[in-house]
Amino acid sequence: MPRPSAAQLFLGTFTVVATTVALLAVSGAAGVLEVAVPVGFALALGTLVALLPLPSSRSGRTARVPAPAGHEYARQR
């Protein structure tokens, strides 16, 4: 399995921090177990984001190079 790029690690880390802050702000958790559940979920989500491949900037299509005009390939007879 290839190593994650710097961008993937950044996105994963950002996802963990942002999700943790958002979930704790919304839930109003105060106990250790109440805090551990949203943090565990955010960690799992951040790991998933870091391991998913980033979309490529290319369209995915390769340009076809036409064969040079006037050049014939050797034919087997």
Side-chain angles (χ1 to χ4, degrees):
M1 187 162 136
R3 290 181 158 195
S5 67
Q8 287 173 307
L9 290 176
F10 172 77
L11 285 175
T13 303
F14 179 77
T15 301
V16 170
V17 171
T19 305
T20 301
V21 169
L23 287 176
L24 290 177
V26 169
S27 70
V32 173
L33 192 59
E34 293 174 347
V35 170
V37 171
V39 168
F41 176 75
L43 186 60
L45 184 64
T47 303
L48 181 68
V49 168
L51 295 180
L52 289 177
L54 291 175
S56 132
S57 61
R58 291 193 259 171
S59 64
R61 290 185 241 154
T62 58
R64 288 189 160 193
V65 178
H71 294 186
E72 293 186 26
Y73 293 101
R75 294 184 188 172
Q76 293 180 353
R77 293 185 189 195

